[in-house]
Each structure stands twice: as structure tokens, then as C-alpha cells.
Amino acid sequence: MANVRFRRIEGNSAQYYMFMAVAGAVAAMAPLSALYMFVNGHHVTGMTNQVPWGMPIVMAIYLIGASAGSLVLSAMSSVFGKTEYQPFARIAALLAILLIVAALMAIIMDWGRPDRILVPFFHFQPRSMFSLNAILYNSYMLVGFLYLLAQFKESKFWKKALGIAAVFIAVGVHSGTGAIFGFVFVRELYNSPLLPPSFIAAALSSGTALMILILYATFRATGRLLDEKLLHGMGRLMGVFMLVVIYFLFIENVTRGYAPKNYEAASFLLLHGGKYTAMFWIGLVLCGLVIPSLIVFNPSTGKSTPWLLFASALQLAGVLFERYIIVIPAQVMPLELFSDKQVTSVFLDGRYANYSISPVEYAYSIGLFGVVIFGFGLAVKFWAMIPEEARFPEDVK
Amino acid sequence: MSVDRRDFLKIGAVMAAGTIAPAISGAAGQDEEGASSKNLWGMVIDINKCDPECTACYDACRKENNVPHFPEPELDIHWIRKIKFKQRGVPNAEERSMPAMCFHCEHPPCAHVCPVAATFKRADGIVLIDKHRCIGCRYCMVACPYKARSFVSKHVEHQPGENPESPIRMHGVVEKCDLCVHRIDQGKQPACVEACKKTGGGGMVFGDLNDPKSEVSGIVRSSRATQIRADLGLNPRVFYLGV
């Protein structure tokens, strides 16, 4: 394959400055809403003593997932020999770094005491998944960064070596993130050994979906040539990942629902959980997985770029629903002190809790997307991230 | 490109330092510290003596520990609470009640998940939170099966008549029952136990589980004492009679 030439964007047009101004304003919403939460206390959010984790945690695991997916995609050319993806290696690695930065912001700014940012550097708890993940996320950022750096060098060895390291650590990061929930053995909807691998599967599908949309938008906005066959190939890859997600979801829910002690948890999620059940079946299964799978595997729609973009957007939204129904319903369900007794108390024991996303959490979440987009816009101006053109290998003369 | 690379490397070096720092600084999370392992504090609650309408333990705890009161039930803070329960599937089942609080487990999941070891177990079995170290991530609340923990989500104002021995805290950290550790260290009983004896039914017994002659260990040795959710294997140090 011919060498891919990368070039910075000029970034002098009025459109560029307008784009960056809007992205910057959106990005500013994240720290500003975090400041508002810190100054007033978390009572301004939808989070309570019944549901202590809300949208910030949903966003964190969503962004971590997309990041891991992007990094693996980036490594496709150097590690798995899929040379047609070489033009995207830098963009994908850059996105992976920006997404993990936004995810870390999501986590830290949601602490009750974000001013204690240095505490985790001095106190470590090896049994805590959070503690282990702090090391994993930082190592991941570092390896991702070195891997991106290697993309600017000619050395195939370093590209491959760092690519392999990046893939391993991406798998570790996402297993660790899944384990944050999977290891919580007191809540039936969390406790599952399948959470770490199913997190990875959803990370790959959503990471691919994000890449498809970002690549299309970037090449179009910069007026550079992008062979759409490349996108269609990525669409089929996304389809395979989505089938794996479906498989894990099926196994996880059937296994959970088989045990009588889990009847209530399983039926809450799948049958009578109101908005959570709707999110599961309509948001995740139907819109996030089944419809996009049908689109990408159908020979005519699978080769149509507008259909593919639609399928990718659906998949991205579907995984956001997936992250939401992983984090929230397990906390909404009452903790069971006795298996055979009905319980009530002033602390709302025995009752299903309520959680709705507050305006400040909406601002926080949208702001995090802004951070990624702003960082991307900035990086492509200062570094040569985008190829001058991306062609399918057989078309390269 | 050389400038770019230098910049990349500089940032890379800073990030590398950040990655390794926790591992090398890490006085790895200590499971037990302070106090004396000669004692193992525990409690037995006889719910046959617990009147559903009595709030002596609850009121005493709030007063002793300056537990803030927020009007919204989902945000309010409870170190101890009265739980009412009925047998499921039995028509006209009798409603009974019991106090519930942090059960100071032998294997506390809250301490295991805390990323900064702000929750820790003292050598005498009391599970405590270092509120100056807690970062407010709330993982402990998600991991506790007994709903024993509350997050302070609002400013707490000083109130007239508050107990000067219990400091007023800032919002943004998690708190819970500490068995009135300040009283135990002075050789006193927890406030709830004292109040239950004085104005309640006298169903709460506190003492040293390591002392074979103590009343509490005598009751625990009998087969009548049970633990809540014993199936989880946490070995809580608060036992119940008559559940």
C-alpha cells in the first residue's frame, strides 16, 4: 500500500472559528456544571442516597467504552494487518485519548470533593476496582499517547509493539470498568462475570460507530477524499461487534433470570421496569442493535453511506442506553434485607427509588461531548492527523 | 515535527509520573489500624423489646452525632433508622420493627471498594470513615448491602444545642454510624444503646465479643442470635434476636 500522507488543516476559515467557538462553549458546560454541583452540593442533581450514581457515571463508562473501541480500531492496521485502516490510525488514536480524558473528567468532577484530586495519588486500595482502574486509565492514556507518537515515526516495529500494548491495555481498561459493577455482589443487576467482556463488546461496537461518523464528518468538512468502501467495511465490522453484544446480553439475562432469587431483578429490567424496560427493549435491543445490524448486513443498505451513518448513530445512542441501564436500574431496585419480609422505613427501605436526569446533569453530559469535539478540532489544526486522502487499497494505483 | 515530538514527550513524561505515583506512594490500603485488637465491639438487638413507635435510639443518635436533617426523604441522612417489616404472603401478618445501622462487618465491602482507603476497619472491629480523606465517589454506598451510608448532598449549618464533640461536616462526603467511637474510647456505651436502656425497651446490648464473660458474647454464643443477610458472608457484628 502506498504511503499515506497526513496534513494539518489550515484552520483559518470563518467556519473553523465558528465551529471551535460553538464546541468551546459546549465544552465549557462540563466544568461549569461541575462547579455548580460542587458549590451547591449534589442535591442539585437527580442523584440521591437511594441512587448515588447518576448520569456522570453513565457518561464516564460510555466515553471509556468508545475510547477503548477507537484505540483497537486504530491498531487494526499496525497490529492486525488491516492496512486499509492505516489512514485512520492517527484520528482513532487521537479520539481514544480525548475520550479517556473526557471520561476521567466525568468521574473526577462528579466526586463530592473534586478538590481532593491528589488524594488517590497518595492512598491506594488494591482491592478497589476504582483504585485499580485509576492505574489502568493512566497507563492507558500514556500508552495511547506513545502509540499516537509512534504514528508520526517511520518505525514499523514501534507502531506494532505499541499497538499490541494498546490493544491489551484497552481490553484491561474495559474489563476493569465492567468489573466496577460486576464485582458488586450485593446488587443482582450488577453482579455478573459477564459484565467485563460484554463491556468490551459494546466498546468495540460503539467505538466503530463513532469512528464511522467522525471520519465521514471530518473528511467532508475538510474537503478531502474518503473512499466510502472503507466506511462500508467498518460498518460490517460494527455489525459483527453488535452480534457479540446481543449474544452477551442474551446469555447474561437468561442466566440471571433462571435463578428464583433473581426473578424480581430480571423481571424489573425486562418486564415491569417502566422507562428502564423501554430503554432496554426499544432503546438498546431494537434501535441500538437489531435495526443497525439489519442495515449493515443487508447488501443494499450496507453499501449505502447514508444508511450506514444512520445505523452508526442508532448504535451510538443504543450503547448510551446500554450504559444507562447498567448503572441506574440496579440502584433503583430496593436492597433486600430479608428475602421473606416486606420492609418499610423513613429511609425508603423496600421501595423502588426514582432517578431522573437533572438539567445540570444534562449540561454536564453534553459538555463532555463538547470537550472531545473541541479537543479534536484543536488537534487537527496543530498536528497532521488527517490524511490527504483515504482510498481502499485495491484502488491505489 | 521535532517540536511536536518534544512536546509530546514532555506531556508523556508527566503522564508517566502520574501513572506510577499511586503505585509507588501506595501505603497499600490497610485493612485494620488503630485501637486494640484485644476488643471486638459488637451489639445484639432483641427486637421483641422494640416498640414500633419508639424512636429513642434514632433521636439519641441524631443528637449525639449532630446528624443533619434534610426535609427530602431521599436526601436525608440516617446513621440509624427504624425498619418496619411484615412476613410476606401471610395475611394479617403482625408488623414488627427493628433499628438498623452500619453492622460493622468483619469483611466490609464498603472498605474493600473505597479507592483511597478512607473507609477502614479499626483493630477493634469498628468500621470508620476518614472524612478528611473521602473523595465522595460513593462507591461504598453502592457496595453496602445494608443501606447504612448516606451522602451529605447539602450544606450543613450549625444548630443550637449541637454536640461539640461531633464536628459539623462539609457536604460532599459519605457518612454513617461509627458506633459512637468517641464514647467507646471513653469507656462509654453508644448513644443509641444508652437511650434504649433509659427510655426505650432496653433491647440493645453492646459489648466486647472477645470477652467470653460479656453479656453480648453470651447471647451471640447462643444459637438464637442471627445476622441480617448472613448469606453474603460479611459476618456483621450486629446481631438480632427474634427476627
Side-chain angles (χ1 to χ4, degrees):
Chain A
M1 173 166 186
N3 267 342
V4 180
R5 283 194 305 278
F6 292 86
R7 187 160 45 85
R8 292 186 293 187
I9 63 162
E10 292 299 324
N12 293 326
S13 65
Q15 288 97 321
Y16 175 79
Y17 284 113
M18 182 64 83
F19 173 81
M20 290 305 284
V22 172
V26 174
M29 285 162 60
L32 288 176
S33 47
L35 184 67
Y36 181 71
M37 277 157 57
F38 176 54
V39 170
N40 291 286
H42 271 58
H43 75 98
V44 298
T45 70
M47 292 175 265
T48 61
N49 281 334
Q50 330 301 314
V51 183
W53 282 349
M55 250 339 249
I57 298 291
V58 174
M59 283 304 294
I61 63 172
Y62 183 62
L63 295 167
I64 291 167
S67 174
S70 299
L71 198 60
V72 172
L73 268 182
S74 172
M76 279 284 180
S77 60
S78 48
V79 178
F80 300 106
K82 305 281 278 180
T83 46
E84 67 265 33
Y85 294 127
Q86 197 191 342
F88 311 138
R90 292 186 187 180
I91 300 180
L94 169 67
L95 265 181
I97 294 169
L98 291 169
L99 287 161
I100 194 80
V101 169
L104 283 173
M105 281 175 72
I107 295 171
I108 293 166
M109 296 191 312
D110 176 50
W111 291 352
R113 297 299 305 265
D115 54 321
R116 294 184 181 167
I117 173 87
L118 292 177
V119 172
F121 287 93
F122 296 101
H123 302 286
F124 180 63
Q125 164 64 283
R127 283 184 80 162
S128 167
M129 269 303 141
F130 263 5
S131 231
L132 294 174
N133 277 325
I135 291 186
L136 278 175
Y137 296 157
N138 281 315
S139 321
Y140 173 78
M141 247 194 313
L142 175 66
V143 171
F145 195 79
L146 293 175
Y147 170 75
L148 179 59
L149 184 64
Q151 300 307 313
F152 289 85
K153 311 265 282 183
E154 288 307 313
S155 163
K156 269 192 183 162
F157 169 77
W158 281 113
K159 274 184 194 169
K160 186 156 187 171
L162 286 163
I164 291 171
V167 170
F168 270 99
I169 203 159
V171 170
V173 159
H174 232 65
S175 302
T177 309
I180 289 173
F181 307 93
F183 283 19
V184 177
F185 53 86
V186 303
R187 294 179 192 257
E188 291 89 354
L189 286 177
Y190 279 159
N191 186 213
S192 160
L194 280 185
L195 266 187
S198 79
F199 256 62
I200 296 172
L204 292 171
S205 63
S206 62
T208 315
L210 182 71
M211 279 305 298
I212 291 171
L213 293 172
I214 295 263
L215 288 176
Y216 181 81
T218 307
F219 277 79
R220 202 178 163 87
T222 52
R224 298 184 189 189
L225 182 120
L226 170 64
D227 188 338
E228 293 184 358
K229 265 192 225 162
L230 286 167
L231 288 187
H232 304 157
M234 289 174 79
R236 284 191 295 279
L237 195 62
M238 177 175 81
V240 173
F241 293 143
M242 287 191 293
L243 294 182
V244 179
V245 174
I246 292 172
Y247 173 75
F248 276 126
L249 270 180
F250 177 76
I251 295 292
E252 188 183 4
N253 283 288
V254 167
T255 310
R256 182 188 289 133
Y258 195 78
K261 75 180 176 68
N262 294 334
Y263 282 171
E264 185 146 351
S267 66
F268 174 64
L269 182 62
L270 303 177
L271 301 172
H272 66 83
K275 60 182 175 184
Y276 305 111
T277 303
M279 282 183 200
F280 181 87
W281 288 112
I282 301 171
L284 171 59
V285 174
L286 184 66
C287 297
L289 294 166
V290 174
I291 295 176
S293 297
L294 291 175
I295 292 175
V296 295
F297 287 123
N298 181 309
S300 61
T301 50
K303 286 180 185 152
S304 146
T305 303
W307 274 107
L308 182 60
L309 295 175
F310 177 58
S312 304
L314 280 181
Q315 154 60 203
L316 261 187
V319 171
L320 187 54
F321 281 120
E322 193 239 5
R323 298 326 197 193
Y324 190 89
I325 54 181
I326 281 174
V327 176
I328 307 295
Q331 303 173 75
V332 166
M333 278 198 69
L335 286 164
E336 197 172 65
L337 291 178
F338 306 101
S339 56
D340 58 346
K341 295 177 177 64
Q342 251 178 325
V343 177
T344 56
S345 83
V346 287
F347 203 27
L348 309 171
D349 281 277
R351 283 177 51 177
Y352 282 86
N354 279 321
Y355 171 74
S356 16
I357 309 170
S358 61
V360 66
E361 286 167 277
Y362 274 115
Y364 190 99
S365 308
I366 295 166
L368 291 166
F369 287 119
V371 168
V372 175
I373 294 168
F374 183 79
F376 188 77
L378 212 57
V380 295
K381 181 177 161 83
F382 290 103
W383 290 292
M385 295 286 175
I386 310 173
E388 289 178 350
E389 58 175 25
R391 288 178 190 275
F392 202 73
E394 65 194 19
D395 298 338
V396 177
K397 298 267 157 48
Chain B
M1 276 316 296
S2 65
V3 175
D4 292 349
R5 273 204 294 274
R6 248 200 314 273
D7 289 346
F8 269 137
L9 283 172
K10 265 188 232 161
I11 305 169
V14 171
M15 279 165 45
T19 304
I20 307 161
I24 54 175
S25 73
Q30 291 171 343
D31 211 25
E32 302 191 354
E33 57 185 52
S36 163
S37 58
K38 278 186 204 153
N39 308 112
L40 182 62
W41 302 114
M43 198 187 284
V44 176
I45 301 171
D46 183 351
I47 70 159
N48 296 312
K49 297 178 180 171
C50 187
D51 178 348
E53 302 312 318
C54 172
T55 55
C57 55
Y58 176 86
D59 298 336
C61 173
R62 279 203 176 268
K63 194 164 185 302
E64 177 67 30
N65 297 296
N66 297 329
V67 178
H69 175 67
F70 301 142
E72 306 88 342
E74 67 278 10
L75 298 178
D76 200 11
I77 290 169
H78 294 274
W79 284 31
I80 190 170
R81 64 196 191 275
K82 288 291 294 285
I83 283 176
K84 294 181 180 174
F85 59 90
K86 274 183 193 173
Q87 199 68 29
R88 223 181 255 156
V90 177
N92 304 321
E94 179 197 3
E95 184 173 80
R96 309 175 72 200
S97 82
M98 60 175 234
M101 70 285 262
C102 171
F103 293 155
H104 299 272
C105 306
E106 181 189 0
H107 306 291
C110 52
H112 297 163
V113 301
C114 177
V116 293
T119 293
F120 59 97
K121 195 175 70 184
R122 262 187 11 165
D124 56 4
I126 303 177
V127 177
L128 293 175
I129 303 173
D130 180 345
K131 296 192 194 81
H132 298 285
R133 192 191 285 187
C134 173
I135 55 174
C137 72
R138 313 184 291 288
Y139 200 1
C140 54
M141 297 174 72
V142 171
C144 172
Y146 303 118
K147 212 179 169 185
R149 295 176 157 249
S150 302
F151 182 66
V152 187
S153 55
K154 286 183 176 185
H155 286 297
V156 180
E157 305 290 342
H158 282 281
Q159 299 292 333
E162 68 191 19
N163 180 6
E165 279 193 73
S166 187
I168 295 297
R169 45 288 215 183
M170 190 199 166
H171 68 74
V173 295
V174 173
E175 57 179 62
K176 69 167 190 78
C177 158
D178 60 10
L179 270 183
C180 288
V181 66
H182 57 288
R183 292 173 60 97
I184 292 174
D185 288 348
Q186 294 166 16
K188 296 183 198 164
Q189 301 254 309
C192 56
V193 177
E194 198 175 272
C196 184
K197 275 191 188 130
K198 272 189 195 159
T199 57
M204 297 174 97
V205 180
F206 171 81
D208 185 358
L209 291 167
N210 273 354
D211 175 4
K213 290 179 196 145
S214 71
E215 186 184 0
V216 73
S217 64
I219 303 171
V220 169
R221 272 200 305 275
S222 77
S223 55
R224 296 171 301 140
T226 53
Q227 296 164 315
I228 307 292
R229 294 290 318 256
D231 58 309
L232 294 171
L234 308 176
N235 194 17
R237 262 68 181 260
V238 174
F239 297 81
Y240 286 86
L241 289 175
V243 172

